[in-house]
Structure formats: C-alpha cells, structure tokens
C-alpha cells in the first residue's frame, strides 16, 4: 500500500513569489492535513480537508491556503512568500481525521531566498 | 487550548539501559495521546497510541490523567531506538486532523 506522497520534495523560491505543494493521500483516506515544521516552532498544524471541505484551520495568515479535490488529493498554496516561510511542509492523511491514525508524508522542503 | 510539553530535548542512554521519555499535556477534556517517531532520513511514523494500549518495539506508554502525563518507556534500549520522538495530542470534538505536538526528544542509544 503506497504511503502519503508529496511533490515536489525540494524547492527554492524567491521572496514575494508563490508556491503550490501537492499531496496524494493513502488510498481510501479522505482526511488530509498539512503541517509546517521548523527548528524554532516545531510541528504546527495548518489546516485539514475532508470531502473537499476545510474543516479545521490553524493559526496561520491568509497567505496559506489549501484545497482538496474529489479524489482526496490536496494542494496547499503559500502566496507572497517570506523568508520565514522556509520550512518542511508535511502532508498527512487518515480515514476520518478524528481519532484514527494519522500517516505522514516525507514532506516538501521549501527554501525562500 | 491544548499544549504538549517534552521537557528533555536530548536524552542519552547506553544499550541495555532503561529509557523513559517524558510527556506532559495540558487539556481540560479527554484527549487522545500518541507517540510518533522519526528515524534518520525517514518520515514521521506512529509508534503507539494510548487507546490501543499496545507495546510496539518494546515501548509502552501509560496515560496518567491525574498527572496529565503520557511517558514513553522501554526497559532495555537498543541502538536502533536512536531517533527523534514526538508526543502528540488530539483534542477530539472538532479537532479534525489536528495533532498538537511537543518539541520532540532526540534519543541516542550508545553501544
């Protein structure tokens, strides 16, 4: 069974640009969550989608957005990139997003220069 | 709001010694607690969750609601246990897909 897959794995962007990251959840999983991981703040929850609807959102500015498609794939977008957005962005999936095991992808490393 | 605290950033033990990774949480409701592990160059993966009460790779963790703790223990550490360990909490209710993580503990098991 394939795990959570994220693309691209590494990318470098310039301040002010925007970026889109993709995630394919485990087959059958309908809940997809996104996390930001940095050395200073650790792992922080961005948002969660289920059946194309955002059900939960963390404390991030509106520059961070996401969406989910009918096949449960998800994308997250960061607009007007700032240096502080440099981080590992993790996608995670589960069947329901509530109480069941959450599986993580390997992440997308974003560097903003 | 919920909070997870892992007081030790680094923990070093020798092979065969017991190991305990501490985790304390603050949340007024009934949370679900998890331990995730990240081995070098691998993705974050679930080690165990309190609701299943399993022992995985010799690790156990007991939820102590009185002390709001969920410490991870192993009686005899192995070199392959060296990794980053994260304690995490899901608050239930409408906390869809949200895990609140501690800062993590790097465990090093020396030969």
């Amino acid at each position: 069974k394939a795990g959570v897959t994220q693309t691209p794995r590494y990318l470098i962007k310039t301040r002010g640009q925007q970026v889109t990251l993709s995630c394919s959840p485990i087959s059958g999983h309908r809940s997809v969550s996104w996390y930001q991981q940095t050395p200073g703040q650790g792992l922080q929850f961005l948002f969660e989608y289920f059946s194309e609807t955002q059900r939960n959102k963390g404390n991030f500015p509106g520059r961070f957005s996401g969406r989910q498609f009918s096949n449960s794939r998800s994308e997250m977008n960061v607009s007007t990139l700032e240096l502080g957005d440099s981080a590992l962005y993790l996608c995670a999936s589960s069947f329901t997003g509530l109480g069941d095991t959450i599986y993580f992808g390997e992440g997308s490393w974003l560097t903003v220069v | 709001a919920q909070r997870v605290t892992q007081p030790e950033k680094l923990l070093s033990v020798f092979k065969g010694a017991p190991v305990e990774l501490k985790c304390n949480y603050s949340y007024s409701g009934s949370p679900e607690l998890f331990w995730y592990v990240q081995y070098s160059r691998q993705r974050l993966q679930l080690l165990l969750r309190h609701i299943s009460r399993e022992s995985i790779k010799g690790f156990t963790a007991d939820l102590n609601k009185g002390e709001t703790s969920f410490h991870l223990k192993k009686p005899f550490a192995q070199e392959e246990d060296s990794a980053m360990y994260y304690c995490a909490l899901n608050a239930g209710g409408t906390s869809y897909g949200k895990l609140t993580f501690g800062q993590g503990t790097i465990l090093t098991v020396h030969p």
Side-chain angles (χ1 to χ4, degrees):
Chain A
K1 192 170 176 180
V4 179
T5 305
Q6 293 186 242
T7 57
R9 290 293 320 281
Y10 305 91
L11 66 167
I12 300 173
K13 290 287 187 177
T14 303
R15 199 168 38 175
Q17 286 186 315
Q18 66 98 24
V19 67
T20 298
L21 308 177
S22 295
C23 173
S24 292
I26 291 172
S27 178
H29 287 189
R30 295 171 65 189
S31 168
V32 175
S33 303
W34 289 89
Y35 290 78
Q36 182 195 64
Q37 185 174 22
T38 59
Q41 299 298 316
L43 283 149
Q44 293 186 289
F45 172 77
L46 281 155
F47 31 66
E48 186 261 6
Y49 287 86
F50 184 90
S51 291
E52 302 178 67
T53 300
Q54 186 183 89
R55 296 191 301 183
N56 202 2
K57 189 176 186 308
N59 296 323
F60 279 82
R63 300 185 297 106
F64 292 82
S65 62
R67 60 177 175 167
Q68 186 181 35
F69 303 95
S70 58
N71 61 0
S72 293
R73 269 190 59 248
S74 177
E75 289 180 347
M76 69 162 281
N77 185 77
V78 187
S79 62
T80 320
L81 284 165
E82 301 176 0
L83 296 178
D85 297 333
S86 295
L88 177 65
Y89 290 88
L90 294 172
C91 174
S93 76
S94 70
F95 284 110
T96 68
L98 194 59
D100 52 348
T101 299
I102 294 175
Y103 296 86
F104 285 82
E106 293 181 290
S108 292
W109 283 98
L110 170 65
T111 302
V112 182
V113 297
Chain B
Q2 55 267 28
R3 186 181 178 91
V4 176
T5 303
Q6 293 179 249
E8 302 133 334
K9 200 166 185 176
L10 301 167
L11 186 61
S12 288
V13 300
F14 285 99
K15 177 182 171 181
V19 62
E20 181 179 47
L21 292 88
K22 291 184 167 46
C23 171
N24 290 92
Y25 67 91
S26 62
Y27 180 61
S28 55
S30 295
E32 283 228 36
L33 276 298
F34 304 83
W35 276 99
Y36 277 82
V37 61
Q38 189 166 31
Y39 300 103
S40 180
R41 301 180 184 278
Q42 294 187 28
R43 68 182 69 197
L44 201 57
Q45 56 187 283
L46 178 70
L47 181 61
L48 50 80
R49 51 190 298 178
H50 90 269
I51 200 168
S52 61
R53 302 185 66 82
E54 291 176 299
S55 172
I56 305 293
K57 298 185 179 184
F59 285 98
T60 58
D62 289 316
L63 179 61
N64 185 322
K65 292 186 178 180
E67 295 183 358
T68 59
S69 68
F70 188 55
H71 303 327
L72 183 68
K73 300 176 185 178
K74 185 169 182 177
F76 308 103
Q78 303 299 314
E79 289 179 69
E80 55 265 31
D81 296 329
S82 296
M84 172 74 102
Y85 291 81
Y86 291 98
C87 182
L89 173 158
N90 177 269
T94 57
S95 295
Y96 303 110
K98 179 180 179 180
L99 291 170
T100 299
F101 285 89
Q103 289 294 316
T105 298
I106 299 173
L107 172 65
T108 303
V109 181
H110 300 282

